[in-house]
Amino acid sequence: MEKTTTINYEDFKTCIDKFLQVTNNDELKAVERTLNDLTNAPESISCILRAISAESYRLPVQKMLAVLIKKAVLRNYLRLTVDDRQTMKTQLLQIICTGINNSGFINKLAEAYAYMLKIENKPIEENNELKTFLQTYLNFSSKDNFLKSLIVVQNVAEQYPNGYNANEVGSLIQQIEQVFSTGYDANNGEIYLNALKTLFSFTNVILVQENVDNNQVNVFMQKLLSILSGYFNIKGVFDEDAKEVNDTLTTVFEILTEAVEFHTEKFNQANMMSIVDFIISGGCLANEDVDLGTKNAAVECMDTLLQVEPKIFNPKKTQVFEKIIKVYSDLLIAESVQNSQKIAQNPDSAIDVYKDNKLSDLLFYSIELFTLKFKTKNTN
């Protein structure tokens, strides 16, 4: 059982200062344990927020404080008065606006804010501080603040999907999708990727809405898939930061896989086919800039679609099956050539090369799955 304690700001700051001074690992761990224990006190939330906003700590310390604020919120938020909770929420959003322009740091703060809303468990529309924040910053007048607002919206959608209503989501989508209507600008890569992640984070929000019918779900999904396909077919999107682009695409496939698997009844075949078309088009599997991890996520999404709605792949009714097998075969050949080159350069690496052959294993499994599905099951 966690012990309850009380702290004041000076005690908390002294502990942070000690953290900055120690060089011995054992002493460092001891200070970290003390800081962790201090988050058991209700006052820790205000102390951490004050330290972030009032002190000129370097980014690593700021990130550590952002981690602590989440712990403090989870442990103590319900123990605060209603007025103190409102103060903490408003102050946290102010820090996000005025703090360091670092996505990792902002993401941790936004996650803490999302947990505040989730713990309060009241409709998002009743949080006036969030309304004001988004009205002020969810526009393209300041790229930095627009990015910060995207990160906040995304975290709230992920941590507290039941808080939004369909009208709010529709309004937010209209604001965010404008980013993609002004033409591609390589300088805005981080904003485009966060906008995509934010838009797709609404998927679960829409799917859990009781008053949203299947037609509305499919209109929403068609819009997202159109934006996704349009963006990844633009030449040069992988040039700036290929890792971030691939990470974003992997996240999208993971969201789609889970959505299709657990909410199959809300998807029509047209949207399922849009997902398939994107996977086998130049936007993904046939794109050399897409890394193996992302292709794994794409193939797993395809397998899920096959399991829940095999009719869309029926070779008697569509050529999709042939296209998939062709793309998969090309990938297997390309990976085989690549592996042979690696082994030729370093014969001792053969075991490791084939041990890491995850995509090939997944592709062979998928081809077998497709073949068995249409060989043994009537999909008319």
Side-chain angles (χ1 to χ4, degrees), residues 19-31:
F19 173 83
L20 293 171
Q21 294 167 5
V22 295
T23 55
N24 180 281
N25 280 339
D26 291 335
E27 291 181 359
L28 185 62
K29 289 179 181 178
V31 177

Side-chain angles (χ1 to χ4, degrees), residues 178-368:
Q178 291 178 10
V179 175
F180 299 97
S181 64
T182 57
Y184 177 72
D185 182 346
N187 295 320
N188 296 329
E190 187 177 14
I191 289 176
Y192 293 137
L193 295 179
N194 275 279
L196 279 173
K197 285 189 283 190
T198 303
L199 288 171
F200 274 88
S201 71
F202 288 133
T203 302
N204 195 41
V205 178
I206 290 293
L207 292 173
V208 300
Q209 298 284 330
E210 293 182 358
N211 60 338
V212 175
D213 61 32
N214 290 7
N215 182 58
Q216 289 172 297
V217 169
N218 284 295
V219 169
F220 162 78
M221 289 306 305
Q222 197 62 46
K223 177 177 287 190
L224 292 198
L225 291 168
S226 176
I227 292 172
L228 179 73
S229 180
Y231 179 70
F232 279 101
N233 279 305
I234 294 173
K235 186 177 181 180
V237 295
F238 286 87
D239 292 348
E240 292 300 313
D241 192 337
K243 183 181 184 305
E244 284 299 319
V245 177
N246 276 291
D247 287 348
T248 299
L249 196 49
T250 298
T251 298
V252 167
F253 282 127
E254 289 171 349
I255 290 172
L256 289 174
T257 300
E258 185 173 329
V260 169
E261 182 175 2
F262 295 105
H263 301 278
T264 309
E265 73 286 351
K266 292 196 173 184
F267 284 81
N268 62 24
Q269 291 190 3
N271 274 331
M272 290 188 180
M273 279 305 304
S274 292
I275 298 173
V276 172
D277 287 341
F278 177 69
I279 291 175
I280 63 177
S281 73
C284 187
L285 290 184
N287 191 331
E288 293 181 357
D289 292 318
V290 177
D291 66 23
L292 293 181
T294 304
K295 288 179 178 177
N296 280 342
V299 174
E300 288 174 357
C301 185
M302 186 85 82
D303 287 349
T304 301
L305 286 165
L306 175 64
Q307 295 283 8
V308 301
E309 194 59 50
K311 291 181 181 179
I312 64 174
F313 300 100
N314 192 336
K316 295 180 180 178
K317 298 181 178 180
T318 176
Q319 294 183 330
V320 170
F321 180 77
E322 295 177 10
K323 291 180 181 177
I324 292 171
I325 297 301
K326 173 69 168 60
V327 171
Y328 280 11
S329 298
D330 290 345
L331 282 172
L332 287 168
I333 293 170
E335 190 173 33
S336 177
V337 171
Q338 188 178 55
N339 289 337
S340 297
Q341 291 173 343
K342 288 180 180 178
I343 294 170
Q345 293 173 356
N346 183 9
D348 294 334
S349 68
I351 294 177
D352 292 332
V353 167
Y354 286 109
K355 188 187 297 183
D356 294 334
N357 233 12
K358 293 180 181 178
L359 181 60
S360 291
D361 292 342
L362 189 56
L363 289 173
F364 277 122
Y365 168 76
S366 296
I367 292 172
E368 182 180 16

